[in-house]
Amino acid sequence: MRAQNLTDESSKFEKIHKEIITAKNRDLAFALCKKYIDLAKKEDDTQELLNGYESASGMANDSIGLKYGDSILTLAVKLKDQVAIGNSYYTIATRSLMISDYKKASEFSVIAYEYYLTQKPEEIVKSIFTIAKLKSLINEDESAQKLLNEQYQHLKKNLTPPNNKLWYRFYLTSLIMTNAKLQKHKENEFLIKESYNFDKTNKEISLSNYQAIFADAYNDFYMKKYTSAIRKINLATDMMGRTNIQVSENVTFLLAQCYWKTGKIDQAFPIFEKIKNNFLKTKKTTLAFRPAFDFFTEYYKKNGTTEQQLASLNDLLEFDKFEKDVKNYVQLKLKDFDDKHKTEEQALSEDEQKFSDWLSIAIISLSSIGVVYFGYRKIKANKKKNSQEILEIRNTITKVSRQPKTKEEINEVFENAEIDYSLYRPINKLTVDQILASMKNFESSFGFLEQDLKLTALAQKFNTNDKYLSKVIKVYFGKTFNTYLTDLRFEYLDKKLKIDSQFKNQKIKEISSKLGFGSPEFFATAFKEKYGKSPKEYFES
């Protein structure tokens, strides 16, 4: 009976998930996501709740999408589900990219990649997409094209899971746009046809059909077919309107550029002006919008006053300063990804070479296929073992279970204080093991009884830094350093009172000192929070 109930619950979630993917407009898709979340709460199913949060983060508008990313992180950390923690970083990275917060987008996408690489490699398709988009924005188009093409080829061979079809479309259209910038139009002829054919044969996934048309328009723009591009942009915009998808500035910006190139200055002017004013107000915009500022320097040089010419030049200089700052930061952050991705490629190449050697030996010696297969499996296992060096948090943390959780645990964090994302940054496994071993020795030797012990001092004793020590205590014990220390001291006190009936007869100042508290006042305050009574009241009773 229990198995039947689980099957029924699973089919309910699968039904809604399919409806989300095939929804005709974004509002409907988001409403279905909230329905999914409500069902997960009703069934007390934390795994499905995580899935619901992830879907909602993709369908909600940018600010609400970021909040769902926080909800994923809060629940994932509570459940010690590292894949879900990776998903939360990916969600926040993607949403940050959409609102032109490139610094957070680059930092969080690399962290998400590290999580997926060590916990669920098949999910790296998500983080690599964001990283490729960032690389294109900072004009590292060759590198971006390589990443997009790798994943496009992989997804093309495996379109069975519904989500893979969505990612295939994202990668295909982004690859077309990157190729366009690189003037690889011959290659795009085939890819554009493939994109349109995909939409024809997968009509159930209609929410983002406009992407194929917009990618085609983008390619036309770089081929200087501006009139054709304008027609296709307008068609894509119309499709977005019919599915309640907000037309992004990227779309209108491309349209404005086409107007500019065809001499329709009056139509280009208001679009560029909106982009410029938004940047001057928020100090944030996409790096691809530099031509908007070039437009005004050129326009006012011909048509404006000296004051307007100077103002437009100042605006351009301000944008250039912003662009340089963002590019330097993003390049620095993506270097971490480049190093890790290069290592992965080298490891894969070595595996393939080793496999080739194994195969040659097997053929020459007429060994059995079983021997070859075993050798290859062993190599792959070693590769997986080596990749654990990038492990974010110790692998012994358990995956999320399907056991019911209290409803209090699974509420969104929309009203909560800001999350300290730094707590969940990657820590090398060896470092974690070393800190945990030091902590075990620290507890068994009663090191917590040291007078007025500080986090920095303890970190120095452990030959680590205070940030790492704080993270390990937070992730493994769910406590701050001060709470961890106080709890150890009161556990010691409880044991001491059981074996030494005279211990409580000492002065509060002496007890406080022996337990390592910095002052009797602090001891008394902490004591009352713990036991609900003052030390004197408690001991007398």
Side-chain angles (χ1 to χ4, degrees):
M1 188 65 180
R2 172 63 179 165
Q4 180 63 44
N5 289 339
L6 286 173
T7 302
D8 291 342
E9 290 172 14
S10 178
S11 63
K12 288 179 187 176
F13 289 114
E14 288 174 4
K15 182 175 181 293
I16 300 174
H17 181 64
K18 186 175 181 180
E19 290 174 352
I20 292 170
I21 293 177
T22 58
K24 298 300 180 184
N25 64 68
R26 191 167 181 172
D27 288 348
L28 175 58
F30 183 49
L32 288 166
C33 290
K34 291 195 285 188
K35 180 180 177 182
Y36 195 107
I37 290 169
D38 289 340
L39 177 62
K41 290 180 179 179
K42 181 181 177 182
E43 301 293 342
D44 288 337
D45 192 327
T46 50
Q47 181 61 67
E48 294 297 355
L49 183 62
L50 284 169
N51 294 338
Y53 283 158
E54 289 168 22
S55 296
S57 70
M59 295 300 173
N61 64 39
D62 296 332
S63 59
I64 298 299
L66 279 171
K67 291 295 184 182
Y68 276 110
D70 289 348
S71 292
I72 297 168
L73 181 56
T74 300
L75 182 56
V77 169
K78 192 171 292 185
L79 298 171
K80 298 181 180 179
D81 183 342
Q82 294 194 67
V83 174
I85 295 174
N87 285 337
S88 70
Y89 275 108
Y90 160 73
T91 298
I92 296 165
T94 303
R95 284 299 172 180
S96 297
L97 180 63
M98 290 179 179
I99 61 175
S100 303
D101 188 349
Y102 299 121
K103 292 184 177 181
K104 180 178 280 189
S106 57
E107 181 178 359
F108 280 39
S109 59
V110 172
I111 297 172
Y113 173 78
E114 292 178 5
Y115 267 105
Y116 292 145
L117 190 63
T118 57
Q119 298 300 314
K120 200 174 182 182
E122 63 270 25
E123 293 291 313
I124 63 171
V125 65
K126 297 193 291 191
S127 55
I128 286 182
F129 183 76
T130 306
I131 289 169
K133 298 288 279 186
L134 286 163
K135 281 182 171 290
S136 184
L137 280 165
I138 60 174
N139 297 325
E140 292 185 4
D141 294 301
E142 291 285 357
S143 179
Q145 197 270 353
K146 182 181 179 183
L147 291 173
L148 291 169
N149 191 51
E150 285 174 356
Q151 296 302 318
Y152 154 72
Q153 296 291 351
H154 167 72
L155 290 163
K156 189 176 181 180
K157 298 174 185 176
N158 185 22
L159 292 175
T160 305
N163 282 349
N164 277 17
K165 286 188 176 183
L166 290 173
W167 281 110
Y168 166 78
R169 173 189 276 156
F170 292 152
Y171 271 96
L172 175 55
T173 52
S174 292
L175 181 59
I176 291 169
M177 293 166 72
T178 306
N179 279 344
K181 290 177 68 179
L182 294 169
Q183 301 296 317
K184 296 184 178 183
H185 301 298
K186 196 69 179 175
E187 185 177 329
N188 271 353
E189 286 181 16
F190 168 76
L191 295 175
I192 290 169
K193 288 179 182 178
E194 183 178 339
S195 183
Y196 282 124
N197 287 335
F198 176 81
D199 283 350
K200 287 179 182 178
T201 56
N202 293 273
K203 292 182 178 179
E204 75 280 3
I205 309 175
S206 59
L207 191 56
S208 52
N209 278 351
Y210 70 90
Q211 291 181 0
I213 301 172
F214 181 68
D216 192 3
Y218 200 86
N219 188 63
D220 277 351
F221 173 80
Y222 279 93
M223 292 181 73
K224 300 183 180 180
K225 297 179 180 180
Y226 304 122
T227 302
S228 174
I230 290 172
R231 178 177 58 81
K232 291 170 184 175
I233 294 169
N234 287 330
L235 181 58
T237 301
D238 182 60
M239 293 180 69
M240 294 170 78
R242 283 188 273 116
T243 53
N244 292 343
I245 295 176
Q246 183 178 354
V247 178
S248 70
E249 278 192 323
N250 287 320
V251 177
T252 56
F253 171 69
L254 185 65
L255 183 62
Q257 286 198 94
C258 291
Y259 285 147
W260 182 18
K261 298 296 182 181
T262 53
K264 299 176 181 178
I265 303 301
D266 290 343
Q267 289 174 276
F269 191 99
I271 300 174
F272 283 142
E273 186 175 45
K274 184 179 179 181
I275 288 171
K276 180 192 71 171
N277 290 340
N278 181 57
F279 168 71
L280 296 175
K281 180 181 178 181
T282 64
K283 303 302 178 186
K284 190 184 294 184
T285 191
T286 178
L287 301 185
F289 287 173
R290 191 184 193 282
F293 297 85
D294 291 329
F295 168 84
F296 286 108
T297 57
E298 181 180 310
Y299 178 84
Y300 286 121
K301 187 176 181 179
K302 295 178 181 178
N303 307 295
T305 64
T306 302
E307 185 178 352
Q308 288 174 320
Q309 291 175 25
L310 288 173
S312 63
L313 184 59
N314 284 333
D315 293 341
L316 178 61
L317 291 173
E318 188 169 348
F319 181 88
D320 284 346
K321 182 181 178 182
F322 161 79
E323 181 182 40
K324 183 179 180 180
D325 175 57
V326 171
K327 278 187 175 180
N328 288 342
Y329 188 92
V330 173
Q331 284 173 339
L332 181 64
K333 289 299 177 183
L334 293 190
K335 187 179 184 302
D336 294 338
F337 163 79
D338 290 334
D339 292 342
K340 292 178 176 64
H341 190 62
K342 184 178 180 181
T343 301
E344 283 296 300
E345 287 183 324
Q346 288 175 343
L348 182 60
S349 177
E350 289 172 4
D351 282 354
E352 290 171 347
Q353 182 60 47
K354 290 176 183 177
F355 178 61
S356 177
D357 294 343
W358 271 94
L359 188 60
S360 298
I361 295 170
I363 292 172
I364 293 171
S365 61
L366 298 178
S367 300
S368 68
I369 294 175
V371 173
V372 180
Y373 177 73
F374 174 77
Y376 181 64
R377 292 288 294 179
K378 184 175 181 181
I379 294 167
K380 294 293 285 182
N382 287 337
K383 174 179 177 289
K384 185 175 181 181
K385 181 179 179 182
N386 291 337
S387 72
Q388 298 303 310
E389 292 299 316
I390 318 169
L391 192 61
E392 171 150 8
I393 302 175
R394 208 175 175 205
N395 274 339
T396 52
I397 296 181
T398 57
K399 291 278 188 181
V400 61
S401 69
R402 294 181 60 89
Q403 294 299 318
K405 303 292 177 184
T406 64
K407 291 184 179 179
E408 183 182 358
E409 283 185 323
I410 59 178
N411 285 329
E412 289 94 327
V413 297
F414 290 2
E415 303 301 324
N416 287 6
E418 286 191 18
I419 292 175
D420 182 3
Y421 299 109
S422 65
L423 286 171
Y424 312 108
R425 292 290 305 274
I427 308 177
N428 184 282
K429 180 181 184 298
L430 295 176
T431 302
V432 173
D433 287 343
Q434 179 260 318
I435 292 174
L436 288 172
S438 297
M439 290 179 69
K440 185 177 181 181
N441 182 61
F442 168 74
E443 293 176 15
S444 63
S445 63
F446 305 110
F448 51 84
L449 298 179
E450 181 180 331
Q451 279 283 326
D452 202 20
L453 184 61
K454 303 296 183 187
L455 175 65
T456 305
L458 187 60
Q460 288 176 348
K461 290 183 179 182
F462 290 177
N463 293 316
T464 187
N465 63 59
D466 53 348
K467 289 183 179 179
Y468 278 1
L469 177 56
S470 179
K471 286 180 195 176
V472 170
I473 293 173
K474 179 67 176 178
V475 173
Y476 282 83
F477 299 95
K479 303 174 182 179
T480 64
F481 170 72
N482 287 334
T483 302
Y484 164 74
L485 205 58
T486 300
D487 286 350
L488 284 175
R489 287 166 175 172
F490 282 136
E491 285 174 15
Y492 174 82
L493 175 62
D494 288 339
K495 292 176 182 177
K496 192 71 174 175
L497 291 172
K498 288 178 182 179
I499 62 174
D500 185 358
S501 59
Q502 300 303 311
F503 189 82
K504 65 181 180 180
N505 295 331
Q506 301 174 77
K507 293 180 180 180
I508 299 300
K509 184 177 181 180
E510 293 175 351
I511 294 176
S512 169
S513 178
K514 288 181 178 180
L515 294 178
F517 287 96
S519 70
E521 292 77 19
F522 178 69
F523 166 67
T525 300
F527 192 98
K528 191 162 187 178
E529 288 180 2
K530 172 77 173 177
Y531 298 99
K533 297 179 179 181
S534 69
K536 184 178 180 181
E537 291 171 338
Y538 183 84
F539 294 149
E540 287 179 351
S541 65

